[in-house]
Amino acid sequence: MPSSESTSSYTPPHILGIFPLAAMLNHSCSPNAVRSYANGIMIVHSASPISAGSEVSWSYIPPTQVFAERRRALKRKHGFVCKCDRCTLEAKELRKDILPSNIQSALFDVQQWNEGMMDVAINDATKLQLCAAFVRLEET
């Protein structure tokens, strides 16, 4: 903090103003609005058509960053992990790309096992097959 003589003229960095209505807008990595500033006034523009009743969102960070950079920046600067549609899709695709096929297969088997165990109409032979798939997963 500056010395006491210059405290009255001190302006913290990166503070553009207090905008209480804008503070209610949430983040999305696929925003439907953007903001700009002119003479201390924030102007919000739609970036795509926004239907009545839809949430207006903007990106807290540059949305052109790749998934890992966006995730890291949002966690570090804003304290949350984004779960917008874009991040959810990209996280799913990333898992597909990095998981070995045998683990992907095992995860599929577990999903089938979970669904099969919950289905009371499924026959016992199928349940035994699903249990065997689950055992294979444990052995992997």
Side-chain angles (χ1 to χ4, degrees), residues 11 25 42 68-69 87 125 130 133:
T11 303
L25 295 180
M42 179 186 295
E69 290 172 1
C87 284
L130 292 170

Side-chain angles (χ1 to χ4, degrees), residues 7 29 41 55 77 84 89 92 100 102-104 117 126 133:
T7 303
C29 292
I41 298 172
E55 180 179 24
K77 294 179 182 177
C84 71
L89 177 65
K92 183 178 177 181
N102 63 334
I103 294 177
Q104 288 180 23
M117 291 299 115
T126 304

Side-chain angles (χ1 to χ4, degrees), residues 45-94:
H45 302 273
S46 68
S48 61
I50 303 172
S51 303
S54 295
E55 180 179 24
V56 177
S57 62
W58 57 34
S59 186
Y60 296 172
I61 57 167
T64 54
Q65 293 176 325
V66 296
F67 173 74
E69 290 172 1
R70 292 193 323 269
R71 178 158 280 188
R72 201 172 16 258
L74 287 167
K75 183 67 175 164
R76 189 179 71 248
K77 294 179 182 177
H78 299 281
F80 71 94
V81 173
C82 184
K83 296 189 189 298
C84 71
D85 291 342
R86 178 180 172 192
C87 284
T88 301
L89 177 65
E90 289 180 19
K92 183 178 177 181
E93 292 302 312
L94 182 64

